[in-house]
């Protein structure tokens, strides 16, 4: 910063030193733009990306306010997503509403570099720059500078474009990262749900199999008992070594056992019909 006591030569030297420092910062910013993508790959949020952009922008110029208007995908309008400081949020929104009405906002969106204009009260230079990838517009940057338009360095405008192109790409990568993670989480939930269903189905099948095994064991016992009686009494009658009264008793036992066996078979057939319906 020059003073009244500086000679023209000293002022020139000081100015060149300031320019050298500024270009050094600009080179550092340009070299660090690749960190955007690295940060996104590590899960950086959209708010984090905008915060990183704000830090880089403040290193170039002393912005009195930095705001980002992002596209709302539900209705494709531009919504104020981030403004620093918050105390100037209303002022920035009012200026944006004004330039929307006079067409400057739409014109700035179609440019590939920063657009500079003055605020309505002439107190600030309004800096506009679209946040756009090669395929779509994601939003627009709005900044307030105390500097006059002619004081804004041409090199800064080019660097602005680099920063905002990287910011837009980082936002798009962040959105893709979140989408992929969401799909991954949904897939994991689906797999867990399917696994649970399979485990339940397997448990039900095992229970049904155990029930059938128990049923067959019971039926085997129920069928074997009357069959044993039928065979035993039939063999006794076959050798004709029973008294008349015993023969009648044996025949009655055979009939009872046969009827009991018939009832068991009927129950089994009825149960089979119920399961197949």
């Amino acid at each position: 910063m020059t003073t009244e006591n500086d000679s023209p030569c000293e002022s020139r030297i000081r100015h060149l030193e300031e320019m050298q420092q500024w270009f050094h910062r600009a080179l550092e910013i340009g070299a660090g733009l690749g960190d955007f993508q690295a940060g996104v790959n590590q899960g950086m949020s959209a708010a984090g990306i905008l915060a990183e952009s704000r830090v880089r922008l403040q290193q170039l110029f002393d912005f009195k306010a930095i705001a980002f208007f992002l596209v709302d995908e539900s209705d494709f309008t531009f919504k104020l997503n981030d403004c620093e400081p918050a105390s100037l949020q209303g002022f920035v929104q009012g200026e944006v509403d004004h330039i929307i009405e006079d067409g400057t906002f739409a014109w700035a969106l179609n440019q590939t570099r920063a657009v500079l204009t003055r605020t309505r009260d002439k107190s600030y230079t309004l800096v506009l720059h679209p946040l756009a990838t090669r395929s779509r517009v994601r939003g627009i940057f709005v900044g307030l500078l105390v500097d006059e338009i002619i004081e804004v360095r041409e090199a800064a405008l080019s660097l602005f474009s680099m920063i905002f192109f990287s910011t837009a790409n980082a936002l798009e990568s962040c959105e893709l990262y979140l989408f992929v993670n969401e799909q991954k989480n949904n897939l994991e939930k689906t797999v867990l749900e399917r696994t649970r269903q399979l485990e339940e189905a397997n448990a039900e099948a095992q229970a049904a199999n155990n029930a059938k095994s128990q049923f067959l064991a019971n039926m085997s016992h129920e069928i074997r008992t009357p069959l044993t009686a039928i065979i035993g009494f039939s063999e006794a009658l076959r050798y004709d070594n029973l008294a008349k009264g015993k023969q009648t008793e044996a025949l009655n036992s055979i009939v009872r056992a046969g009827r009991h066996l018939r009832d068991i078979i009927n129950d089994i057939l009825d149960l089979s019909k119920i399961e197949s319906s």
Side-chain angles (χ1 to χ4, degrees), residues 26-68:
L27 288 173
E28 288 182 341
I29 293 170
L33 289 178
D35 295 340
F36 269 108
Q37 193 62 47
V40 173
N41 291 337
Q42 295 174 5
M44 183 184 292
S45 65
I49 292 170
L50 297 180
E52 287 290 328
S53 296
R54 187 164 55 243
V55 169
R56 287 166 168 79
L57 292 168
Q58 289 288 19
Q59 290 174 342
L60 291 175
F61 277 104
D62 184 20
F63 281 99
K64 295 306 176 184
I66 290 178
F68 294 96

Side-chain angles (χ1 to χ4, degrees), residues 179-247:
F179 175 77
V180 170
N181 266 2
E182 183 180 358
Q183 295 301 309
K184 178 184 175 183
N185 292 336
N186 289 339
L187 179 60
E188 290 177 352
K189 290 179 182 178
T190 300
V191 170
L192 289 175
E193 179 63 19
R194 292 291 185 269
T195 301
R196 184 188 64 79
Q197 292 175 354
L198 287 173
E199 290 175 348
E200 290 181 354
N202 183 62
E204 291 176 358
Q206 186 63 40
N209 187 58
N210 292 338
K212 287 184 178 180
S213 296
Q214 185 62 42
F215 173 76
L216 290 175
N218 293 338
M219 288 301 99
S220 175
H221 175 74
E222 291 292 330
I223 292 172
R224 189 181 293 112
T225 300
L227 275 178
T228 300
I230 291 171
I231 293 171
F233 285 116
S234 296
E235 287 181 345
L237 290 172
R238 178 182 179 185
Y239 294 108
D240 197 22
N241 58 357
L242 293 177
K244 185 68 174 177
K246 292 293 184 180
Q247 291 180 359

Side-chain angles (χ1 to χ4, degrees), residues 247-263:
Q247 291 180 359
T248 301
E249 184 179 343
L251 288 171
N252 289 335
S253 296
I254 291 172
V255 171
R256 286 196 302 272
R259 288 175 177 172
H260 181 57
L261 183 59
R262 180 197 61 193
D263 293 340

Side-chain angles (χ1 to χ4, degrees), residues 208 211-212 215 268-277:
K212 287 184 178 180
F215 173 76
I268 294 173
L269 293 175
D270 289 342
L271 181 61
S272 178
K273 291 178 181 177
I274 291 173
E275 288 186 343
S276 63
S277 61

